Amino acid sequence: MSSILIALDVDRIAQADTLVQQLAPFVGGFKVGKQLFVSEGPAAVAPIVDRGLRLFLDLKFHDIPNTVAGAVRAGTRLGAWMMTVHASGGHDMLQAARDAAVDEAAKTGVSRPLIVGVTVLTSLDDARLATVGAAGGVRDQVKRLAALAQEAGIDGVVASPQEIALIRETCGADFAIVTPGIRPASASKDDQARTMTPREAVQAGASWLVIGRPIAGAADPAAAAAAINAEIG
């Protein structure tokens, strides 16, 4: 199966449905984030789950443990295959998210969704990270949060491809690494500060590649996805 997860960064279910129809044969799953979810509500996941495809519910939960646990339970009932929380929410919050996923999946008879912790957003570099009070730079912060996520028992982290090798050294081969900030060599970086090509990211040890505009915004999204799969090899 392809390691590509398509970011459905659109406003309407009809737009998402078109992309899902075009791209389902070429990718490993689809990401529903805040834009589509806020625009359309829980119904936004229907084009994915109704087809039995993998839903990456990327709402980046960050709150007290009880609140995050409730959100993870709801996401499990929606049919999420993977969900994001902010690793900076701390050990207790991460553990609560994991436990809620396990418990709700058992209650409803579905597979447990993966829980991955967002480390440092790919729009941030050392200078921007320092403005929010994180000392030591991006690499130190990513390493710290990845270790915390693993200690709390969640499945992996979200990090830029430039930190993949660092996370592998810190957390081992079985820890999932989801990488946004993926840009083919010919594509614009847009608002991403820490990027890598798809082939470079996979070779470095990425588990999943989140790709939006270079595929969804292409004149022929299916051809763009096929080309990236070929590049990855």
Side-chain angles (χ1 to χ4, degrees):
M1 177 177 285
S2 171
S3 58
I4 297 172
L5 303 175
I6 292 295
L8 296 174
D9 294 331
V10 295
D11 288 322
R12 298 298 171 213
I13 291 175
Q15 296 169 286
D17 191 67
T18 297
L19 286 168
V20 172
Q21 289 184 65
Q22 291 174 318
L23 294 171
F26 302 99
V27 304
F30 294 88
K31 180 178 84 73
V32 171
K34 294 182 179 70
Q35 181 178 348
L36 181 58
F37 199 86
V38 172
S39 293
E40 296 281 20
V45 308
I48 305 161
V49 298
D50 288 356
R51 291 183 171 92
L53 303 171
R54 284 175 163 173
L55 166 64
F56 177 22
L57 189 62
D58 182 28
L59 299 180
K60 298 182 177 70
F61 302 133
H62 190 177
D63 214 309
I64 63 172
N66 187 64
T67 299
V68 168
V72 168
R73 289 180 184 279
T76 303
R77 293 193 297 271
L78 274 181
W81 155 73
M82 183 160 63
M83 281 182 271
T84 49
V85 297
H86 269 287
S88 57
H91 183 279
D92 290 352
M93 190 205 80
L94 296 173
Q95 195 169 71
R98 180 205 64 192
D99 292 348
V102 170
D103 185 60
E104 194 65 25
K107 284 181 179 177
T108 55
V110 300
S111 297
R112 176 183 71 81
L114 302 174
I115 304 296
V116 292
V118 177
T119 55
V120 176
L121 299 174
T122 52
S123 57
L124 298 175
D125 54 19
D126 287 347
R128 294 182 178 97
L129 187 63
T131 66
V132 296
V138 168
R139 287 178 62 83
D140 284 352
Q141 183 75 346
V142 168
K143 182 176 181 177
R144 182 181 305 115
L145 292 175
L148 176 66
Q150 187 173 49
E151 181 185 336
I154 67 170
D155 300 284
V157 291
V158 181
S160 102
Q162 294 183 13
E163 290 88 54
I164 295 169
L166 174 67
I167 295 167
R168 284 278 168 252
E169 291 170 8
T170 304
C171 299
D174 296 330
F175 199 59
I177 303 175
V178 181
T179 55
I182 300 298
R183 290 291 183 271
S186 60
S188 166
K189 289 187 177 182
D190 298 307
D191 55 357
Q192 306 283 2
R194 305 185 334 271
T195 67
M196 193 176 279
T197 69
R199 184 176 180 84
E200 289 170 340
V202 169
Q203 289 178 336
S207 307
W208 299 96
L209 312 179
V210 179
I211 304 177
R213 286 165 282 193
I215 292 177
D220 185 340
I228 292 175
N229 279 325
E231 176 188 334
I232 292 169

